[in-house]
C-alpha cells in the first residue's frame, strides 16, 4: 500500500501530492473535457488551409507533425502520472475492503471453523499481515 498506516483510502491522491502530481491532475482534467477535443479539431481546421500561406508541402506537414508529436509526448507523461495515482488509490481501497472483510471473518470464525481457513487464504492472497490485538 502506498498510504501510511491510518490513512483513509482517498488520501492516496490527496494532500500528499507533489506539485507535479497537482499539475498532472489539472492537465488530465483539462484534457478530458469535450471542449479540449474541440480545440484540437479547431487546430487541425486552422492548420489545413495554411498550406496556401506556407507554400511548401514538406514544411506544412512538418509543422503539424512536430506540434502533435510534442503535445502527445507531454500528454502521455502527464496522463500516465494521473493513471498511476488512480491505480494506487483503487488498490489502497481494495486492500482496506479486504482487511475489513478479513477482520469480520475473524470475528465470526468462532461460529464457523471454515471461516478461519477462508480468512487465512484472503489475507495471504492480498498480502495482508495478521494483526494482533485491536487497532
Amino acid at each position: 500500500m502506498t498510504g501510511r498506516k491510518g490513512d483513509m483510502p482517498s488520501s492516496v491522491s490527496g494532500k500528499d501530492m507533489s506539485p507535479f502530481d497537482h499539475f498532472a491532475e489539472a492537465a488530465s482534467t483539462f484534457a478530458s473535457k469535450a471542449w479540449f477535443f474541440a480545440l484540437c479539431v479547431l487546430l487541425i481546421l486552422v492548420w489545413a488551409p495554411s498550406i496556401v500561406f506556407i507554400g511548401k508541402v514538406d514544411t506544412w506537414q512538418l509543422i503539424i507533425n512536430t506540434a502533435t508529436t510534442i503535445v502527445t509526448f507531454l500528454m502521455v507523461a502527464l496522463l500516465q502520472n494521473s493513471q498511476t495515482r488512480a491505480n494506487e488509490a483503487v488498490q489502497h481501497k481494495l486492500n482496506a475492503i479486504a482487511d475489513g472483510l478479513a477482520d469480520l471473518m475473524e470475528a465470526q470464525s468462532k461460529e464457523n471453523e471454515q471461516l478461519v481457513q477462508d480468512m487465512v487464504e484472503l489475507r495471504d492472497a492480498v498480502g495482508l499481515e495478521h494483526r494482533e490485538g485491536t487497532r
Side-chain angles (χ1 to χ4, degrees), residues 38-106:
L39 183 67
C40 293
V41 171
L42 180 65
L43 175 67
I44 300 301
L45 293 175
V46 168
W47 165 79
S50 70
I51 183 96
V52 174
F53 304 107
I54 296 173
K56 292 178 69 175
V57 173
D58 290 343
T59 303
W60 178 69
Q61 288 178 330
L62 183 62
I63 289 170
I64 196 68
N65 288 344
T66 302
T68 57
T69 299
I70 290 169
V71 169
T72 301
F73 179 71
L74 294 174
M75 290 302 293
V76 165
L78 293 174
L79 295 176
Q80 183 60 45
N81 175 277
S82 295
Q83 184 64 42
T84 298
R85 283 185 294 101
N87 287 343
E88 288 173 356
V90 168
Q91 187 60 53
H92 193 61
K93 291 173 185 179
L94 289 172
N95 286 348
I97 291 169
D99 189 34
L101 181 58
D103 289 346
L104 178 62
M105 292 168 78
E106 185 175 10

